[in-house]
Amino acid sequence: MKIVNLVENTPGSCGCGTEHGLCFYIETEKHKVLMDTGASGLLLENAEKLGIDLAQVDTVVLSHGHYDHGGGILPFAGENPQAKIYIPEGAQEPFYSVYEKDGELKKRYIGLPEEVFQLPQVVRVEGGAKIDEELQLFSGIGRVKPSPSGNRSLKIQTEAGLKHDDFRHEQCLVVRQGGCAVLFSGCAHHGILNIMERYRELYGSDPDAVVSGFHFMKKDEHYTREEIREMIRTAEGLKAYQSKFYTCHCT
């Protein structure tokens, strides 16, 4: 199995561009996969620098309906109209980030363009899916443990006004090859501990590796005591698993 990061918030050593977004290229015996597509067409530029031919990709998985994970879908589809794009049901909703500025409550659209959902290669996924023995998707993640406090500012626009996003549109990818299982999540909006419990519930074991953002990052880097305790509780909880964790993006 080959895993290459194409888009991330921070620069790598190859001179690739960066943005607030996430995209992984995953190569298995049977598939060439993209897990998320970043926020723009940057994945096309970075793939070229890394010698990755995106025309060979056959499967795209969207972790959830936010622009920083699906904003590159249209540019990618313009280069590769054949790859199936697995999008979780509910990802088409109008998502917003709500924040305060100059004493006023503001909102910023963070959803996807409507054109994404009109692409003929899009496959809507509800409740997970088994693509084949190598690739499986799951959702239905519970909330036994608290979800990240950063979710509080994330909303869905409805006719009745803004409502809290419960992230029913979040799905995870499991890649299996040679007896090894790797779990991919975008931001772990349900909370990485809840995602791990869902994996155990479905598969009766722990993945060998987990690649995910943990959604703890704040732009101003001013963390409250409770937010620090939240991170510590999560780190302590992860000790119960045999997996190796690779964090990124919003961690």
Side-chain angles (χ1 to χ4, degrees), residues 30-192:
K30 297 179 181 179
H31 294 285
K32 293 178 174 63
V33 182
L34 289 183
M35 175 65 178
D36 290 334
T37 62
S40 68
L42 181 62
L43 80 160
L44 305 180
E45 300 173 23
N46 286 350
E48 184 175 1
K49 291 179 181 177
L50 292 167
I52 293 172
D53 184 6
L54 294 182
Q56 300 301 312
V57 169
D58 56 81
T59 304
V60 179
V61 174
L62 179 67
S63 63
H64 61 292
H66 286 174
Y67 80 98
D68 51 328
H69 296 261
I73 289 178
L74 291 177
F76 168 79
E79 299 290 326
N80 180 337
Q82 287 83 36
K84 289 185 177 181
I85 304 172
Y86 291 84
I87 294 182
E89 196 63 50
Q92 76 280 4
E93 297 290 343
F95 300 109
Y96 284 87
S97 173
V98 177
Y99 60 98
E100 188 175 321
K101 184 178 181 180
D102 300 327
E104 293 185 17
L105 203 61
K106 307 281 186 179
K107 67 177 184 178
R108 178 173 65 93
Y109 184 71
I110 58 171
L112 301 176
E114 181 59 35
E115 293 84 354
V116 167
F117 304 97
Q118 298 169 4
L119 293 171
Q121 62 268 45
V122 164
V123 178
R124 300 290 188 100
V125 180
E126 185 171 9
K130 182 177 180 179
I131 298 174
D132 59 20
E133 293 302 320
E134 286 191 346
L135 307 178
Q136 298 178 40
L137 308 174
F138 74 81
S139 55
I141 303 159
R143 294 187 182 274
V144 177
K145 304 291 177 66
S147 57
S149 57
N151 286 350
R152 295 169 189 163
S153 64
L154 303 176
K155 309 290 182 180
I156 301 176
Q157 184 69 58
T158 70
E159 292 182 359
L162 291 169
K163 72 172 186 178
H164 177 68
D165 188 353
D166 61 8
F167 284 96
R168 294 181 188 178
H169 57 102
E170 184 172 48
Q171 66 180 0
C172 299
L173 168 66
V174 179
V175 183
R176 296 181 180 277
Q177 184 175 291
C180 178
V182 181
L183 167 62
F184 290 86
S185 171
C187 287
H189 281 289
H190 277 88
I192 189 64

Side-chain angles (χ1 to χ4, degrees), residues 179-215:
C180 178
V182 181
L183 167 62
F184 290 86
S185 171
C187 287
H189 281 289
H190 277 88
I192 189 64
L193 295 178
N194 288 318
I195 289 173
M196 295 301 293
E197 282 303 298
R198 178 60 171 158
Y199 185 97
R200 275 187 175 178
E201 178 186 333
L202 290 170
Y203 302 108
S205 62
D206 296 342
D208 295 280
V210 179
V211 182
S212 178
F214 286 2
H215 201 58

Side-chain angles (χ1 to χ4, degrees), residues 203-244:
Y203 302 108
S205 62
D206 296 342
D208 295 280
V210 179
V211 182
S212 178
F214 286 2
H215 201 58
F216 290 145
M217 187 178 69
K218 294 178 70 175
K219 289 183 179 179
D220 59 12
E221 296 187 358
H222 294 143
Y223 294 93
T224 66
R225 289 184 179 180
E226 179 51 37
E227 287 168 339
I228 293 171
R229 284 195 290 265
E230 176 187 357
M231 294 184 219
I232 293 171
R233 285 194 299 267
T234 299
E236 291 290 342
L238 291 177
K239 291 180 181 180
Y241 300 94
Q242 301 301 310
S243 311
K244 186 169 185 178

